[in-house]
Amino acid sequence: MLSKGLTILASLATLVIGRNPHGPVPNTWPQNYSGIPASNYSPEWQSYFEVTEPLPNVTAMLSRSFAGNMAVDRQGHPNDTLFFWGFEKENGSLTAAEGERSDDPWLIWLNGGPGASSFLGFMEENGPLHVTNDYSIVLNNYSWDKLVDVFWVDQPVGTGYSTASNDGGYITDEDQMGRDFLGFLSNLVAVFPSLKTRPFYLTGESYSGVYIPYITKAIFSTPNPPVNLKKFAIGNGAIGSLSVFKELPTLTVIETYPQLINYDPDVFNYFKTQ
Ligand SMILES: *[C@@H]1O[C@H](CO)[C@@H](O)[C@H](O)[C@H]1NC(C)=O
Ligand SMILES: *[C@@H]1O[C@H](CO)[C@@H](O)[C@H](O)[C@H]1NC(C)=O
Ligand SMILES: *[C@@H]1O[C@H](CO)[C@@H](O)[C@H](O)[C@H]1NC(C)=O
Ligand SMILES: *[C@@H]1O[C@H](CO)[C@@H](O)[C@H](O)[C@H]1NC(C)=O
Ligand SMILES: *[C@@H]1O[C@H](CO)[C@@H](O)[C@H](O)[C@H]1NC(C)=O
């Protein structure tokens, strides 16, 4: 499933945003495509990000969408970006001007991992295009963008099509992840200004059960947050790493039934106190 999804994504990505006029660049740099605005992020960037090329195996009419890499504005790491693909609920809903549609919610979806692309959710769960077993693509009648404007975002930096410089540009802890995400949100609302005030729903599953609380912490720690966070939702949330999931029940079982492996309780207790 996973590799099938990623293969399709690779071919989609080439067509989504066209080819880089400068040729291939390392995956530690964001790809620049022709027509990149010279200015800071602003609504001028909407037409740069708008997906206008046809997508392979997609014949049905899709709603307008916007995709690309956006800087997280981390000091000393200008090439650290997050990749997003956002779909409009209706024509013009994402490109509304600042202050418009103030009651109209918008949403971000995050997969977990850590290190999982949110395009797994996009292509197999709640996104508009589903990849089938023979690599054909069908529309998902239950895609969330039928209800609200939705962005699927690859994060943290270095995940999926998101980039990170390999000289310390990756994250070292979840607080860094939260700050990066906040930088991304500030730039996203500069491009789509109605999102500043519209109710924001931050959603995800699995290891985003760790990401989302830290992003929320970063938002609430900011005097003037870039977004109006209304709710968050976590499905099947994780509170730790895969190895912790395996070790926690194992530990409980061998503590309860030492005879199973007949260990020396003194040695065990010694290690427990370390
Ligand atoms: C990409 O665009 C940014 C911003 O305009 C610029 O600083 C950078 O040098 C460009 N990189 C490439 C590889 O063209
Ligand atoms: C969406 O609106 C734009 C103008 O904002 C218009 O040019 C375009 O044709 C519309 N697309 C659809 C599918 O209605
Ligand atoms: C398009 O779908 C067909 C099956 O209908 C598949 O064989 C082909 O690989 C798909 N093309 C791409 C680019 O995924
Ligand atoms: C999606 O909706 C269309 C139009 O109503 C219908 O033809 C199609 O069978 C539906 N697909 C699925 C998978 O439910
Ligand atoms: C960042 O990307 C630019 C091209 O846009 C490249 O020239 C530069 O070396 C990159 N910096 C790092 C630290 O990777």
Side-chain angles (χ1 to χ4, degrees), residues 22 25 29-30 32 36-38:
H22 308 290
V25 299
W29 305 355
N32 285 353
I36 188 169

Side-chain angles (χ1 to χ4, degrees), residues 20-23 25-26 29-33 36-39 45 48 78-79:
N20 188 332
H22 308 290
V25 299
W29 305 355
Q31 312 283 316
N32 285 353
Y33 300 95
I36 188 169
S39 59
W45 286 70
Y48 173 66
N79 293 341

Side-chain angles (χ1 to χ4, degrees), residues 81-83 112 114-118 153-164 170 211:
T81 68
L82 298 185
F83 176 78
S117 168
S118 295
V153 181
D154 273 344
Q155 75 90 46
V157 292
T159 301
Y161 284 110
S162 296
T163 58
Y170 291 92
Y211 293 143

Side-chain angles (χ1 to χ4, degrees), residues 29-52:
W29 305 355
Q31 312 283 316
N32 285 353
Y33 300 95
S34 40
I36 188 169
S39 59
N40 291 338
Y41 290 114
S42 73
E44 196 195 336
W45 286 70
Q46 287 170 5
S47 55
Y48 173 66
F49 287 129
E50 186 171 347
V51 176
T52 52

Side-chain angles (χ1 to χ4, degrees), residues 6 10 39 72 75 130-131 141 183-184 201 217 219 226 230:
L6 294 180
S39 59
V72 301
Q75 193 81 41
H130 279 189
V131 181
N141 288 349
F184 164 79
Y201 289 61
K217 177 184 171 190
I219 292 173
K230 267 287 185 258

Side-chain angles (χ1 to χ4, degrees), residues 149-224:
D149 292 338
V150 185
F151 288 86
W152 286 263
V153 181
D154 273 344
Q155 75 90 46
V157 292
T159 301
Y161 284 110
S162 296
T163 58
S165 55
N166 54 15
D167 60 347
Y170 291 92
I171 62 162
T172 50
D173 59 32
E174 310 290 357
D175 282 313
Q176 179 69 66
M177 179 279 307
R179 285 192 300 274
D180 283 354
F181 203 81
L182 203 64
F184 164 79
L185 287 174
S186 303
N187 289 331
L188 191 69
V189 304
V191 175
F192 301 102
S194 75
L195 303 182
K196 281 182 202 168
T197 45
R198 290 167 55 184
F200 171 43
Y201 289 61
L202 180 58
T203 67
E205 67 184 344
S206 192
Y207 196 81
S208 71
V210 174
Y211 293 143
I212 288 173
Y214 277 92
I215 293 170
T216 305
K217 177 184 171 190
I219 292 173
F220 287 160
S221 310
T222 308
N224 293 302

